[in-house]
């Protein structure tokens, strides 16, 4: 594309194409994740809206980025999410026009007060994907990309959004009743354990 005055501007890839590449780049852990990847790719290519524009459920589904903090000792940070009433990774909704890694960086600053760094395991690529029906009034589907991140020590968190935070080993996560966690947390943890070797 040429701007007035003859300057050439390289157009950036379309956001849908970038997102489709992220979904396609995920190696599924199991049949359920393979189905979520396929459903996500169909959703992206359908032309349907991707980003939440009206809380909590418009459009349905919409895109979310989880920021899974993994410590050097391989513990996973979970937050006691007040609205969901579940222990989850931190994270949030991808804003219109926002790249998913930008969401990771923004949510980490807002919710945990620290900068996100890509993990050595996955870099800036999503590690896991889920499509989950939320609980409660105005239930909707969150299509969630799970990113592995590293951070500096966490000394505070958004107490308006979270009732508390906990560091858990993978074994401790797997010992938690799934009803208290994101419904895919045990599957995610299995994939993480295998990736970490």
């Amino acid at each position: 594309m040429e701007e007035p005055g003859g300057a050439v501007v390289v157009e950036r890839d379309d956001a849908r194409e970038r997102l489709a590449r992220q979904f396609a780049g995920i190696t599924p852990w199991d049949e359920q994740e393979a189905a979520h990847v396929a459903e996500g790719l169909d959703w992206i290519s359908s032309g349907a809206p991707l980003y939440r524009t009206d809380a909590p459920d418009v459009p349905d589904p919409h895109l979310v980025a989880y920021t899974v903090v993994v410590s050097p000792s391989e513990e996973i940070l979970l937050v006691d999410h007040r609205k969901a009433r579940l222990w989850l990774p931190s994270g949030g909704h991808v804003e219109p026009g926002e790249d998913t890694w930008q969401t990771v960086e923004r949510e980490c600053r807002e919710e945990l007060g620290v900068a996100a760094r890509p993990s050595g395991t996955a870099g800036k690529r999503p590690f896991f994907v889920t499509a989950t029906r939320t609980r409660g009034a105005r239930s909707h589907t969150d299509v969630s990309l799970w990113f592995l991140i590293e951070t500096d020590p966490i000394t505070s968190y958004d107490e308006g959004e979270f009732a508390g935070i906990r560091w858990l080993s993978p074994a401790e996560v797997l010992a938690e009743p799934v009803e208290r966690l994101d419904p895919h947390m045990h599957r995610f943890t299995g994939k993480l354990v295998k990736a970490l070797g």
Side-chain angles (χ1 to χ4, degrees):
M1 170 191 237
E2 193 169 308
E3 285 190 344
V8 176
V9 176
V10 177
E11 289 186 284
R12 296 182 64 191
D13 286 345
D14 175 78
R16 281 185 191 275
E17 291 176 12
R18 281 196 315 271
L19 190 58
R21 283 195 302 272
Q22 287 185 319
F23 272 74
I26 295 170
T27 302
W29 166 246
D30 55 17
E31 289 182 15
Q32 188 170 9
E33 189 176 16
H36 287 174
V37 168
E39 291 164 11
L41 286 168
D42 288 345
W43 172 58
I44 293 163
S45 68
S46 75
L50 302 175
Y51 309 103
R52 187 178 76 172
T53 55
D54 188 24
D57 58 351
V58 178
D60 183 11
H62 53 254
L63 190 61
V64 170
Y66 268 151
T67 59
V68 186
V69 183
V70 180
S71 75
S73 60
E74 300 181 355
E75 289 183 309
I76 301 165
L77 179 71
L78 294 182
V79 299
D80 185 2
H81 196 279
R82 291 183 187 277
K83 286 184 184 174
R85 288 184 264 173
L86 295 171
W87 286 91
L88 313 167
S90 61
H93 295 90
V94 181
E95 299 293 337
E98 189 174 50
D99 178 77
T100 54
W101 183 255
Q102 290 173 318
T103 305
V104 168
E105 292 176 316
R106 176 178 53 76
E107 290 289 344
C108 201
R109 277 191 313 273
E110 290 175 2
E111 295 181 344
L112 303 174
V114 292
R117 291 190 306 274
S119 78
T121 304
K124 292 184 177 181
R125 298 178 317 276
F127 176 75
F128 192 62
V129 64
T130 57
T132 308
R133 198 82 189 150
T134 63
R135 302 185 325 179
R138 297 180 71 178
S139 178
H140 59 277
T141 299
D142 284 343
V143 178
S144 304
L145 292 172
W146 300 48
F147 290 84
L148 302 180
I149 64 169
E150 300 169 357
T151 68
D152 292 329
I154 295 169
T155 58
S156 65
Y157 57 89
D158 181 347
E159 294 184 28
E161 192 159 356
F162 309 140
I165 63 173
R166 293 168 44 192
W167 288 97
L168 299 171
S169 69
E172 289 170 326
V173 172
L174 293 171
E176 284 286 319
V178 73
E179 298 80 23
R180 294 177 37 109
L181 306 170
D182 177 286
H184 303 286
M185 196 71 215
H186 284 177
R187 294 176 47 249
F188 163 82
T189 303
K191 185 175 184 178
L192 178 64
V193 167
K194 182 171 183 184
L196 295 174

